[in-house]
Amino acid sequence: MEALSIWLDTRALGSDLHPKILSNSRIAVHELIPAPDALKTNNKWLFSLFAPLKVVFQTLSLYYTLGYRTPPANWLLVQNPPTIPTLIVAQAICFVRNTRLVIDWHNFGYSILALKLGPTHPLVRISRLLESGFSGTASAHLAVSNAMARVLKDSWGLTAPVLPLHDRPFPEFQPLDESQRIEFLGQCSETVSFLQDIRSGNMKLLVSSTSWTPDEDFSLLLDALVSYSELATSAQSRLPEILAIITGKGPQKEFFLSEIRALVDAGKLSSVHLQTAWLGVEDYAKLLASADLGVSLHMSSSGVDLPMKVVDMLGSGLPVIGWDRYESWPELVREGVNGCGFHSSQGLCAAMARLFGGEKQKLRDLRQGALLEGQRRWDDEWDPVAGKLLGLCA
């Protein structure tokens, strides 16, 4: 078997490549030339000016990498988004090299762009046309949800095979037994000072991973924690305190950190200890497996994608409560089985109070459901779908 070529912009990953990719002799990584920092901006109006220049640079970089640095292949598998210029260049390379294109759909690029510019912006409309137009000639499509597969077939009119392929947790995300849990909590800098309270049940560990972006409204969780703290400090309350650890990086992080400091100074988080962290994959996986409850704030720009963070939580045996106002949510989290949904800060607060207070058995039942859901792994999902499509599995 020839080497598998991967082309990527490592600066866009936000983390290092997985060691198993780097150590595999059959995988060749070709790093893309990154766009200049001068073309990066969070300003809406400057973005409209810089975006076309950035696209030109990325087009040349990607075409050079695919056309001159990698050997011809039978298949070209492209994850979408990003859409522009990836799909356009991929189609050109596939035409020149007689290669079959497979698009791995994780969301719609135009819907993410709409979060920054608004749904009626000309660049969003252009992105939508390019995304639908340049996806139509692909040989096959993989969709991250059944709902996305339906949209691609019914609304986009794709005639090539559209195969649902749900994300599954990586091997690092595994449940821990109680002794392993206590060992990790005693070593983790964010939890070690609260270990005795966690062990006694006087404190619950809540974890949320966020990209600190507009499609994840962190104010929902912050407002819910303020309301929970008010309940926990009220007369005759038996609610435990919460240690909430928020992981991730993103553009709105500093803003919310200042909000958190103001709430702490005002005494509105007296029963909540809120910390932020940036952890490696191994420690992050152990943190999830050690927590009592996971929170997803993902709202889905398209309504049909699914958050990988929830997949990781379930793979670690962690029950999840999350924003549920999008079509694909029930494909991943089954209400009352491995998690539950909310659609307001009041609903999130009520769920935390219910599971940490009066319905502790329900929380244990949800954990069992998460453990069961997490048993299905990548090979179980990949082999009968993508593996069969690519001729790698019978």
Side-chain angles (χ1 to χ4, degrees):
M1 180 182 295
E2 295 183 0
L4 170 68
S5 294
I6 297 178
W7 40 272
L8 46 82
D9 180 351
T10 55
R11 296 203 311 180
L13 294 177
S15 59
D16 296 330
L17 284 174
H18 196 285
K20 290 185 177 180
I21 292 179
L22 296 174
S23 63
N24 194 315
S25 60
R26 290 183 172 179
I27 298 178
V29 178
H30 301 273
E31 185 172 353
L32 298 178
I33 302 171
D37 290 337
L39 296 179
K40 296 181 179 180
T41 179
N42 290 321
N43 183 281
K44 180 177 179 180
W45 304 110
L46 287 178
F47 179 85
S48 300
L49 176 64
F50 290 169
L53 300 175
K54 187 176 180 180
V55 167
V56 171
F57 186 95
Q58 291 174 330
T59 299
L60 295 174
S61 173
L62 184 55
Y63 189 86
Y64 171 73
T65 301
L66 285 177
Y68 295 95
R69 295 175 60 198
T70 60
N74 292 326
W75 298 93
L76 179 58
L77 178 62
V78 176
Q79 179 176 305
N80 187 71
T83 302
I84 301 172
T86 311
L87 286 187
I88 302 171
V89 176
Q91 287 284 11
I93 292 295
C94 286
F95 176 78
V96 171
R97 290 185 163 185
N98 194 28
T99 296
R100 287 169 288 182
L101 176 65
V102 178
I103 302 176
D104 183 18
W105 295 86
H106 284 251
N107 206 343
F108 298 135
Y110 81 90
S111 70
I112 297 176
L113 186 61
L115 293 175
K116 180 189 289 280
L117 302 179
T120 61
H121 194 280
L123 288 181
V124 174
R125 294 177 176 177
I126 292 172
S127 176
R128 171 69 164 80
L129 290 173
L130 291 175
E131 194 166 13
S132 60
F134 281 91
S135 62
T137 57
S139 298
H141 305 266
L142 304 175
V144 76
S145 70
N146 296 325
M148 182 172 287
R150 178 191 57 77
V151 170
L152 290 172
K153 287 186 287 188
D154 296 346
S155 300
W156 290 50
L158 298 183
T159 56
V162 180
L163 309 174
L165 179 65
H166 292 82
D167 284 330
R168 305 308 304 172
F170 288 105
E172 290 82 0
F173 295 91
Q174 300 283 349
L176 298 179
D177 60 34
E178 187 60 20
S179 62
Q180 292 172 320
R181 177 177 183 257
I182 296 303
E183 180 182 2
F184 172 75
L185 293 176
Q187 297 173 347
C188 178
S189 60
E190 287 78 16
T191 60
V192 61
S193 59
F194 303 99
L195 179 58
Q196 293 306 316
D197 287 331
I198 293 175
R199 295 189 68 175
S200 67
N202 294 326
M203 178 178 289
K204 295 296 183 180
L205 177 56
L206 181 147
V207 175
S208 181
S209 176
T210 178
S211 57
W212 305 94
T213 52
D215 66 335
E216 295 185 344
D217 188 358
F218 184 74
S219 63
L220 281 171
L221 177 57
L222 201 54
D223 291 345
L225 290 173
V226 170
S227 298
Y228 180 94
S229 185
E230 292 177 358
L231 288 175
T233 54
S234 61
Q236 299 180 337
S237 173
R238 294 185 177 181
L239 289 175
E241 293 187 357
I242 288 179
L243 170 59
I245 299 179
I246 315 300
T247 69
K249 295 180 180 179
Q252 296 182 336
K253 182 176 180 179
E254 291 305 318
F255 168 78
F256 279 109
L257 287 180
S258 64
E259 292 286 304
I260 292 169
R261 287 190 291 267
L263 290 172
V264 171
D265 292 342
K268 294 186 176 181
L269 290 172
S270 57
S271 293
V272 175
H273 304 269
L274 207 156
Q275 299 189 24
T276 60
W278 177 251
L279 304 173
V281 174
E282 184 177 343
D283 284 342
Y284 175 60
K286 290 181 179 180
L287 177 64
L288 293 185
S290 302
D292 295 293
L293 191 63
V295 176
S296 171
L297 302 172
H298 181 77
M299 292 184 171
S300 180
S301 61
S302 65
V304 292
D305 70 315
L306 286 170
M308 188 66 196
K309 68 192 70 179
V310 174
V311 175
D312 295 337
M313 290 175 181
L314 295 175
S316 304
L318 179 63
V320 180
I321 52 177
W323 181 269
D324 63 356
R325 285 302 189 259
Y326 54 98
E327 182 181 350
S328 54
W329 171 258
E331 295 184 33
L332 190 55
V333 176
R334 291 174 291 163
E335 187 70 26
V337 177
N338 56 13
C340 54
F342 65 86
H343 50 274
S344 67
S345 61
Q346 295 87 350
L348 175 54
C349 175
M352 292 189 296
R354 185 173 68 250
L355 295 174
F356 289 161
E359 297 184 8
K360 296 179 181 179
Q361 181 58 46
K362 184 60 178 178
L363 182 59
R364 289 191 284 268
D365 292 341
L366 292 180
R367 181 172 290 278
Q368 289 303 311
L371 289 168
L372 183 62
E373 176 67 24
Q375 290 178 1
R376 185 171 176 83
R377 294 285 161 163
W378 259 117
D379 289 349
D380 302 318
E381 189 76 19
W382 172 273
D383 288 352
V385 182
K388 186 175 181 180
L389 170 68
L390 301 175
L392 302 175
C393 301

